[in-house]
């Protein structure tokens, strides 16, 4: 029998982390969640731990010694622990501590332990405001906040430990992730909750400007699939976009959610100047490197979300 693979998943008790852990269990990984439970779901972790294949290390990525000790014996690392983009402007010191120093602690420990693959949760925000769509991995990066700067630095640190210690890595640049289990305060997707709450109350969603601002919404189930594929792909040492390639405008989103709820309301447009930013991933590399094609269309994912009451 082959030796069991052990995945060390930082932030594994969070929104994306729990979906990743469930898919890893289906692939017969043993999972060690490393999470300080700042935003983690303790009950969900306890249920997963009943399988006997999941353990929780309740610790902080800012403590390099704790990270190094806890990683002993791991064959794969998925680094998801981070504080969010909106907190990063409010408290840049904490953001850099957790997102840059913390990422370095995890990456350096992985290089030292000689793990088979390191998968980093990076972000589409490393591109800044894109000059063209779709956004390609080789486009110029222009990270605009401490959070985005940390994601870019994480990618650069991976390349450094690859050169220095032969670390094998993939940095996944997640686009706008949504799906069951997401906290209602999530930055980019809070617009979903705002619209759904109004529509369910029989009130029309209110859109600033013409609603031309767009996002590339990708379902968390697809994101978790991409993570697992990245842990096992033959090609490595590159950043890879994880999006659908489809830019959904705020006006499209309002229409999708109205249809999903089945409500008889029309959006209201609030005329004012809005800075229109748009997002859509070039998905070519994800297909080539990971064999990844998103499975859940945004209309279906949003409808499921509403059915689940989220
Ligand atoms: N959700 C998105 O749309 C999105 C988009 C791009 C990138 N990402 C990235 O994906 C990753 C996961 O995001 P999420 O949406 O699941 O967020 P989340 O907040 O739900 O999960 C993050 C987890 O990290 C843990 N954590 C925070 N600080 C920690 C610390 N100092 N030490 C140990 N654990 C700590 C939290 O307790 C939480 O369980 C993050 O790196 C995030 O930047 C998310």
């Amino acid at each position: 029998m082959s030796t069991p693979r052990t995945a060390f998943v930082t932030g594994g008790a969070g929104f994306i982390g729990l979906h990743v852990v469930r898919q890893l269990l289906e692939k017969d990984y043993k999972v060690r969640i490393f999470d300080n439970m700042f935003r983690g779901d303790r009950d969900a972790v306890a249920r997963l731990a009943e399988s006997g294949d999941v353990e929780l290390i309740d610790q902080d990525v800012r403590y390099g010694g704790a990270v190094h000790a806890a990683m002993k014996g791991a064959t794969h690392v998925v680094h998801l622990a981070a504080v969010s983009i909106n907190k990063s402007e409010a408290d840049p010191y904490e953001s850099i501590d957790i997102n840059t120093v913390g990422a370095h602690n995890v990456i350096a420990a992985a290089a030292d332990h000689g793990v088979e693959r390191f998968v980093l949760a990076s972000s589409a925000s490393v591109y800044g405001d894109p000059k063209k769509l779709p956004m390609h991995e080789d486009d110029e990066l222009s990270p605009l906040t401490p959070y985005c700067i940390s994601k870019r630095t994480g990618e650069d640190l991976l390349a450094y430990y690859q050169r220095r210690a032969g670390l094998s890595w993939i940095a996944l640049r997640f686009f706008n992730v949504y799906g069951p289990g997401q906290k209602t305060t999530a930055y980019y997707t809070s617009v979903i909750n705002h619209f759904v709450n109004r529509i369910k109350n029989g009130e029309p969603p209110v859109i600033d400007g013409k609603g031309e601002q767009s996002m590339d919404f990708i379902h968390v189930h697809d994101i978790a699939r991409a993570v697992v594929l990245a842990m096992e792909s033959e090609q490595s040492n590159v950043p890879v976009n994880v999006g659908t390639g489809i830019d959904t405008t705020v006006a499209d989103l309002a229409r999708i959610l109205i249809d999903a709820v089945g409500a008889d309301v029309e959006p209201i447009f609030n005329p004012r100047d809005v800075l229109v930013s748009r997002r859509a991933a070039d998905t070519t590399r994800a297909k080539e490197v990971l064999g990844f094609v998103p499975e859940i269309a945004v209309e279906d994912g949003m409808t499921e979300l509403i059915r689940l009451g989220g």
Side-chain angles (χ1 to χ4, degrees):
M1 227 175 82
S2 59
T3 358
R5 299 170 299 179
T6 300
F8 182 83
V9 185
T10 72
F15 164 52
I16 295 173
L18 287 166
H19 288 268
V20 168
V21 170
R22 287 188 199 102
Q23 293 195 23
L24 288 173
L25 292 175
E26 283 169 20
K27 294 257 174 184
D28 293 331
Y29 281 85
K30 291 198 173 301
V31 179
R32 199 175 300 155
I33 295 175
F34 187 98
D35 197 305
N36 69 353
M37 302 310 280
F38 166 62
R39 268 161 69 90
D41 183 339
R42 219 173 264 285
D43 294 339
V45 173
R47 284 193 295 276
L48 288 169
E50 283 167 14
S51 66
D53 289 327
V54 175
E55 63 174 314
L56 171 66
I57 314 254
D58 191 340
Q59 260 292 2
D60 198 301
V61 292
R62 283 172 284 191
Y63 305 131
V67 172
H68 194 280
M71 203 185 283
K72 193 165 185 285
T75 53
H76 296 72
V77 173
V78 180
H79 179 49
L80 300 166
V83 278
S84 66
I85 194 163
N86 40 345
K87 275 203 85 188
S88 95
E89 288 189 278
D91 190 347
Y93 290 90
E94 184 198 49
S95 179
I96 295 293
D97 250 5
I98 296 177
N99 296 354
T100 306
V101 176
H104 178 256
N105 286 337
V106 182
I107 295 167
D112 205 38
H113 284 294
V115 303
E116 288 171 31
R117 176 65 48 83
F118 192 110
V119 179
L120 173 73
S122 184
S123 162
S125 65
V126 293
Y127 296 108
D129 290 324
K131 296 198 177 67
K132 63 160 188 61
L133 294 188
M135 294 143 80
H136 187 274
E137 288 85 347
D138 293 335
D139 288 354
E140 187 192 334
L141 302 186
S142 178
L144 299 174
T145 67
Y147 169 89
C148 317
I149 292 165
S150 293
K151 292 297 183 189
R152 185 203 177 139
T153 305
E155 295 187 7
D156 290 343
L157 286 168
L158 288 169
Y160 169 68
Y161 281 100
Q162 175 201 341
R163 293 192 297 276
R164 178 182 153 138
L167 183 67
S168 170
W169 60 274
I170 289 191
L172 297 175
R173 293 178 180 163
F174 298 158
F175 278 64
N176 303 108
V177 191
Y178 72 100
Q182 186 157 37
K183 281 118 196 144
T184 48
T185 51
Y187 184 66
Y188 290 113
T189 38
S190 56
V191 64
I192 301 176
N193 291 296
H194 182 65
F195 282 179
V196 170
N197 288 338
R198 287 187 61 89
I199 298 166
K200 281 188 170 169
N201 287 332
E203 296 162 351
V206 181
I207 296 170
D208 283 337
K210 294 183 181 143
E212 288 168 322
Q213 174 158 349
S214 72
M215 290 177 240
D216 182 338
F217 289 109
I218 174 120
H219 195 276
V220 66
H221 182 79
D222 278 329
I223 286 282
R225 262 193 331 111
V227 170
V228 177
L229 288 167
M231 289 168 70
E232 300 178 351
S233 64
E234 277 178 24
Q235 293 183 60
S236 61
N237 310 336
V238 281
V240 179
N241 288 338
V242 190
T244 62
I246 296 165
D247 59 322
T248 301
T249 66
V250 172
D252 292 339
L253 177 69
R255 174 58 51 204
I256 290 168
L257 294 173
I258 288 171
D259 290 349
V261 173
D264 187 18
V265 290
E266 285 297 320
I268 294 176
F269 290 87
N270 183 13
R272 55 180 262 200
D273 283 339
V274 181
L275 193 68
V276 174
S277 65
R278 304 194 65 181
R279 274 197 176 176
D282 186 315
T283 57
T284 320
R285 188 180 290 176
K287 194 168 179 193
E288 281 171 9
V289 171
L290 308 178
F292 171 77
V293 178
E295 284 175 349
I296 303 179
V298 68
E299 291 80 2
D300 297 337
M302 295 290 173
T303 306
E304 180 221 30
L305 199 60
I306 285 163
R307 191 174 50 77
L308 295 171

